[in-house]
Amino acid sequence: MFGDESVDSALERIEQWQQSMAQRAEQAQTLAQRTSALTATARSRDDLVTVTVGPEGQLTQLHLDERTRRQSAAATARAIMEALQAAKDALVMKFEAATAETVGADSETGRMLNESLRRRLGMPLESSDEAR
C-alpha cells in the first residue's frame, strides 16, 4: 500500500512534529517562569508617588513622599493614577519583550498572550511598538 519512501517520509514528519511540540512546550514554560515574576515600578511626574505593579498589573507597593501632605487629596490621587498607569505601561513592555524572546511576538501564541494582558489591564490592543 505504501512504498518505503512514504513510510519514511511519514515517520520523519511525525518526528519533526514531536520535536516542534516539545520546543513549543519548553518555550511556553520559559515564558511562564519569566512573566510570573515580572514587576514594574514607576514614579509620578512630580516624583511624589512611586508605585510597583505585579505580573497581573496589581498594585504591590505604593510610596507617598511626605510632601504629598502639602497638596490636595485630588492632586495626590491624580499622581497615584498617573504612576500606576506608567507602571502598567512598563509591565506591558516587559511582558511583550519576554514574549518576543520566547514564543515570538508574531506567533499566534505571542499575539494572544500580549492581547490578553492588555485586555486585563484595560489598555489598547496594539503593541507597544505600534504605539510609538
Side-chain angles (χ1 to χ4, degrees):
M1 183 171 178
F2 295 107
D4 288 339
E5 190 171 32
S6 297
V7 173
D8 289 343
S9 177
L11 290 174
E12 186 177 317
R13 282 196 307 269
I14 290 170
E15 186 175 323
Q16 288 172 349
W17 178 79
Q18 286 176 324
Q19 289 172 350
S20 173
M21 293 306 292
Q23 182 182 18
R24 287 180 188 178
E26 184 179 322
Q27 290 170 338
Q29 184 176 13
T30 300
L31 178 61
Q33 289 170 345
R34 287 180 62 183
T35 59
S36 69
L38 280 181
T39 63
T41 300
R43 298 178 70 90
S44 59
R45 280 179 262 164
D46 60 11
D47 287 334
L48 298 181
V49 175
T50 305
V51 302
T52 300
V53 295
E56 292 295 321
Q58 75 279 20
L59 183 65
T60 59
Q61 292 183 0
L62 171 64
H63 173 77
L64 302 177
D65 188 281
E66 286 298 319
R67 293 174 291 164
T68 58
R69 293 175 183 237
R70 290 180 247 159
Q71 67 183 14
S72 69
T76 300
R78 280 191 302 276
I80 291 169
M81 295 306 291
E82 171 190 306
L84 181 59
Q85 187 59 54
K88 287 179 178 182
D89 291 344
L91 179 71
V92 166
M93 290 178 70
K94 287 181 176 184
F95 187 90
E96 288 177 349
T99 300
E101 293 167 7
T102 54
V103 299
D106 292 331
S107 71
E108 184 177 339
T109 300
R111 286 190 306 270
M112 179 193 68
L113 292 171
N114 289 336
E115 188 174 297
S116 176
L117 179 62
R118 286 179 165 278
R119 274 199 178 100
R120 289 192 310 274
L121 297 180
M123 299 177 76
L125 296 182
E126 76 274 354
S127 72
S128 59
D129 289 341
E130 292 173 2
R132 288 184 200 157

